[in-house]
Amino acid sequence: MGRVALNGFLFLAVAVLVAAGWILSPDLTKPNFEFLPQMAHSPRYNAFAPNPNFGDGSTLQRPEPGTIARGSMPLHYAATPQDALRAGEELKSPLDLSSVRARERGAFVFSKFCAVCHGAGGTGNGPVAQRGYPAPPSLLAEHALKMKDGQLFHVLTYGQNNMPSYASQLSREDRWNAILYVRTMQAAAAPAAPSTSPLKAAQADPAKVPGGQP
Ligand code: HEC
C-alpha cells in the first residue's frame, strides 16, 4: 500500500468515526449513548415505595430476628421485680471501683439526673418530690443498702414503679458511674452499716469522696 493510499485510508477512517459520533449523538446538549446505563444509574426505590424485588413487595425490610445495633450488647432482662433480683445476682459493675474519675463522673450524673427527686444527699427530698411527686425512699435506707449493684442497674435501666427508666438518657457506663456514686454516698453516710457494696475501705473515707456526705 502506497503512502498516499494509507493517508487517504486514515483520513477516511477518522471521517467515518466523526460522522458515526454525530449520528449516534446528534444533540450536543444530551449525554452520549450509554452502554448498560443501569450500571451507572441504578434504579432506586423510596423507603415506603412498593418494591417488586422483595417477597413482601415493600422496600423497607425488617431486620433479621436477633439483629442487634452495632456496639450494643443486648440485656436479657424484663422490666419485672423478679428480673431485677436476677440482675442483682448476675450483673457486676464493669468499673474499676477505685477509679476517682468514675466516682466524679457518677457525682456529676447524680447531681444532674437523680438529685431532682432523690435529693443531693440521696435522702429523697429533691425539689420534684417537694412539689408533690411521690417521694422516693432514701437511698441511704436499709432497703437500698441491701440491693445489689446489678439490681440498681436494673432500676436505672428499666425503672421501678414511679421511678422512670434512664436507659435513653444515660449510657450504660454512666448508669454504673451513678451507682458507684450511690454506693459512695451510702458508705460515707453509714460506714458501719452492713452493706453488700464491694466498695473498698478507702472509698468509705469521706475525706476522699468528692461531694460526699460528711
Ligand atoms: C422523677 C423522679 C426520679 C428521678 C429523676 C430518679 N428517681 Fe430513683 N426513684 C424514684 C422513685 C419515686 C423511686 C421509688 C420507686 C418505687 O416506689 O419502687 C425511686 C427508686 C430508686 C431506687 C430504688 C430504691 C429502693 O430502695 O427501692 C434507686 C436505686 C434509685 N431510684 C436510683 C436513682 C438514680 C441513680 C437516679 C438517677 C439516674 C434516679 N433514681 C432518678 C424517683 C426518681
Side-chain angles (χ1 to χ4, degrees):
M1 209 194 289
R3 198 171 162 171
V4 174
L6 181 61
N7 281 346
F9 175 76
L10 286 176
F11 177 78
L12 209 69
V14 169
V16 165
L17 276 175
V18 169
W22 183 260
I23 289 163
L24 286 172
S25 171
D27 183 352
L28 293 177
T29 62
K30 293 225 176 96
N32 280 327
F33 171 77
E34 284 183 290
F35 182 63
L36 293 179
Q38 291 199 337
M39 288 182 73
H41 312 282
S42 44
R44 61 181 286 279
Y45 293 89
N46 287 330
F48 293 99
N51 191 319
N53 299 305
F54 291 114
D56 65 356
S58 54
T59 298
L60 265 188
Q61 295 292 299
R62 291 186 182 283
E64 284 295 306
T67 304
I68 56 170
R70 181 185 288 256
S72 103
M73 287 296 289
L75 278 175
H76 297 290
Y77 295 100
T80 59
Q82 294 80 4
D83 269 24
L85 291 175
R86 190 162 67 83
E89 298 303 324
E90 295 172 357
L91 293 181
K92 299 279 169 279
S93 175
L95 300 179
D96 172 4
L97 298 183
S98 61
S99 159
V100 174
R101 213 206 119 265
R103 221 178 322 136
E104 281 176 357
R105 176 73 191 169
F108 175 80
V109 169
F110 192 90
S111 72
K112 300 290 175 213
F113 289 90
C114 320
V116 281
C117 292
H118 284 277
T123 52
N125 61 349
V128 171
Q130 283 174 19
R131 284 168 186 251
Y133 194 80
S138 171
L139 293 177
L140 311 179
E142 188 73 10
H143 185 258
L145 285 171
K146 285 204 169 133
M147 290 169 86
K148 297 195 172 158
D149 284 356
Q151 207 177 341
L152 297 193
F153 187 79
H154 190 281
V155 173
L156 267 60
T157 306
Y158 298 97
Q160 176 185 291
N161 301 322
N162 286 323
M163 157 102 190
S165 158
Y166 274 83
S168 59
Q169 291 98 318
L170 295 175
S171 68
R172 286 189 195 181
E173 192 182 354
D174 269 346
R175 276 173 260 159
W176 286 116
N177 287 334
I179 290 165
L180 180 60
Y181 182 68
V182 169
R183 293 306 188 206
T184 307
M185 281 194 303
Q186 292 173 339
S195 162
T196 53
S197 162
L199 278 179
K200 309 273 175 330
Q203 286 171 283
D205 181 354
K208 296 189 182 165
V209 177
Q213 297 304 293

